[in-house]
């Protein structure tokens, strides 16, 4: 078995180690250290470990491949599930499944505000508008202390829904 | 190609660090398995050898820690038995130096501090350049050169003492 092991002793004259050719004792020591390195490399070649190391590395790569492929499959599956969840949530939100009533339909707003009658709805809307005139039209007593505004209009129970929808359209109820 | 080129050097450093042949081979295999697993994510920046030997030293430390955890007291008989059953060392097959000289060198190396020994082994057995060693050990080049020089001086004085004790 030939693994073409090459061992190249160092060029100690230029290795910057502080050892140089002019110090025979140090040079002799370095030669012996190099010989030790060569001996270990030779031992590795004699034991034929390169082939076994190579085989082990190939096995490692072989055993890694299915693991990696499996990991990728799981990652793809997880990615698909996450995408499906996002699409599902978006669909449900668009269908109003999670509607809290604050920004939903006028009916939702009324329910969320615990409004049980059209008159109460009118008062609620007038409060939302901070419109004294509007408030006065439905509950003069409650209008006391509420600042006047330039715009006045009469609110009717039948107009409540339109007003609320208008509020929603311009940015929602305060 | 990588295995063929570097197995001997990695194995050699492990052996020089005092690891027995079987364990050195196991750790070498582990190093190259790690290498095979990590190579696809490796970005070549001219530091391959530093990276490889860093893996080797980390594996060696892992192995030493594991052995320390599972260590058990050994009797004198077992030690003598182990020495008796030990086969010929690499010195006997190297053909580049007298076996006695290499044995004396190994004995002196074993008396160096672990950090001094690491520097000497990486340089002379692993065949790394000082620049690569500086990267591997995360030390300034000048510091490393000084450490190497001091380690060689210590080794020399140890060998002088050892040789002085010889008949």
């Amino acid at each position: 078995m030939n693994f073409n092991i090459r061992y190249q002793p160092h060029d100690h004259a230029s290795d910057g180690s502080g050892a140089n050719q002019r110090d025979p004792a140090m040079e002799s020591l370095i030669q012996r250290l190099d010989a030790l390195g060569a001996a270990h490399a030779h031992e590795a070649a004699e034991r034929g470990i390169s082939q076994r190391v190579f085989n082990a590395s190939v096995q490692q790569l072989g055993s890694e491949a299915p693991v990696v492929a499996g990991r990728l499959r799981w990652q793809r599956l997880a990615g698909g599930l996450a995408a499906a969840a996002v699409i599902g949530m978006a669909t449900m939100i668009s269908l109003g499944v999670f509607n809290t009533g604050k920004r939903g339909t006028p009916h939702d707003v009324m329910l969320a505000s615990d409004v049980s009658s059209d008159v109460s709805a009118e008062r609620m809307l007038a409060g939302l508008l901070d419109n004294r005139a509007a408030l006065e039209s439905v509950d003069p007593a409650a209008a006391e202390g509420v600042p006047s505004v330039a715009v006045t209009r009469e609110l009717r129970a039948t107009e409540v829904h339109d007003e609320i929808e208008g509020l929603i359209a311009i940015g929602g109820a305060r | 190609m990588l295995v063929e080129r570097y197995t001997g050097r990695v194995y050699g450093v492990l052996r020089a660090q005092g690891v027995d042949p079987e364990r050195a081979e196991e750790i070498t295999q582990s190093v190259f398995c790690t290498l095979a697993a990590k190579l696809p994510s490796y970005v070549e920046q001219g530091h391959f050898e530093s990276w490889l030997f860093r893996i080797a030293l980390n594996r060696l430390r892992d192995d030493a820690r594991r052995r320390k955890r599972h260590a058990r007291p050994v009797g004198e008989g077992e030690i003598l038995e182990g020495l008796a059953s030990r086969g010929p060392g690499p010195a006997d097959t190297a053909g580049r130096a007298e076996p006695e000289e290499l044995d004396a060198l190994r004995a002196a190396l074993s008396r160096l501090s672990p950090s001094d020994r690491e520097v000497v082994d990486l340089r002379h057995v692993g065949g790394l350049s000082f620049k690569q060693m500086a990267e591997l050990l995360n030390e300034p080049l000048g510091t490393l050169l000084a450490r190497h020089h001091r380690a060689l001086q210590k080794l020399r004085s140890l060998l002088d003492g050892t040789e002085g004790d010889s008949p």
Side-chain angles (χ1 to χ4, degrees):
Chain A
M1 203 179 296
N2 178 20
F3 292 108
N4 194 23
I5 299 293
R6 291 183 294 275
Y7 187 83
Q8 297 174 333
H10 304 108
D11 175 11
H12 299 294
S14 58
D15 69 0
S17 64
N20 57 53
Q21 304 265 359
R22 287 172 295 182
D23 183 345
M26 192 61 87
E27 182 56 24
S28 165
L29 171 61
I30 289 172
Q31 280 176 357
R32 272 184 279 174
L33 284 167
D34 285 342
L36 185 65
H40 287 309
H42 190 80
E43 181 184 278
E46 276 210 326
R47 290 171 63 89
I49 72 167
S50 286
Q51 189 61 52
R52 288 194 292 278
V53 167
F54 178 76
N55 292 342
S57 304
V58 169
Q59 278 180 3
Q60 169 74 19
L61 283 175
S63 63
E64 277 282 306
V67 173
V68 172
R71 204 181 298 142
L72 285 175
R73 273 198 296 275
W74 276 109
Q75 282 172 353
R76 281 196 209 104
L77 180 61
L81 287 172
V86 168
I87 292 167
M89 288 285 283
T91 306
M92 287 190 281
I93 288 168
S94 69
L95 291 173
V97 173
F98 299 119
N99 204 318
T100 59
K102 287 182 181 173
R103 292 174 61 87
T105 64
H107 183 62
D108 290 333
V109 172
M110 292 173 73
L111 288 177
S113 305
D114 198 22
V115 177
S116 58
S117 69
D118 284 350
V119 174
S120 297
E122 281 180 359
R123 291 183 57 177
M124 177 199 74
L125 184 61
L128 289 172
L129 291 171
D130 281 343
N131 187 323
R132 181 177 176 175
L135 192 55
E136 278 177 335
S137 71
V138 294
D139 189 349
E144 292 292 329
V146 175
S148 298
V149 293
V151 179
T152 58
R153 75 180 101 156
E154 286 192 12
L155 291 174
R156 296 285 181 269
T158 51
E159 293 172 343
V160 167
H161 289 179
D162 291 341
E163 290 293 332
I164 293 174
E165 279 193 326
L167 280 175
I168 291 166
I170 63 169
R174 285 182 290 172
Chain B
M1 182 64 189
L2 284 175
V3 171
E4 189 178 311
R5 186 171 178 147
Y6 290 106
T7 296
R9 288 168 62 184
V10 170
Y11 175 87
V13 167
L14 295 169
R15 288 284 286 120
Q17 289 273 301
V19 180
D20 65 57
E22 283 74 26
R23 267 177 62 221
E25 182 173 338
E26 277 175 29
I27 297 171
T28 305
Q29 284 195 10
S30 166
V31 168
F32 281 89
C33 285
T34 303
L35 190 72
K38 290 189 172 177
L39 210 50
S41 61
Y42 172 75
V43 179
E44 174 56 30
Q45 291 178 320
H47 307 304
F48 176 77
E49 290 192 8
S50 311
W51 182 54
L52 173 66
F53 280 89
R54 184 178 297 126
I55 294 173
L57 292 183
N58 286 341
R59 287 287 166 280
L60 176 61
R61 286 176 191 131
D62 291 346
D63 181 75
R65 269 198 294 271
R66 202 165 36 242
R67 290 175 71 82
K68 200 174 176 183
R69 274 204 301 272
H70 299 297
R72 64 181 178 83
V74 179
E76 189 185 348
E78 282 182 87
I79 295 172
L80 292 172
E81 197 178 316
L83 287 172
S85 63
R86 189 180 286 176
D92 303 315
T93 56
R96 285 185 178 230
E98 292 299 318
E100 297 79 17
E101 281 183 340
L102 293 187
D103 285 344
L105 183 59
R106 277 197 205 92
L109 279 167
S110 71
R111 292 170 64 188
L112 285 179
S113 71
S115 62
D116 283 347
R117 190 171 178 178
E118 193 171 69
V119 169
V120 171
D121 289 343
L122 286 171
R123 173 67 185 152
H124 296 280
V125 182
L128 293 185
S129 70
F130 286 107
K131 188 168 174 288
Q132 288 171 327
M133 288 165 61
E135 286 166 4
L136 166 61
L137 300 173
N138 203 21
E139 282 188 15
L141 186 60
T143 307
L144 191 72
L145 286 166
R147 269 183 64 194
H148 175 259
H149 187 62
R150 277 199 301 271
L152 287 189
Q153 297 278 19
K154 271 188 221 170
L155 190 60
R156 199 169 109 182
S157 59
L158 282 168
L159 276 168
D160 287 346
T162 306
E163 285 166 357
D165 292 341
S166 300

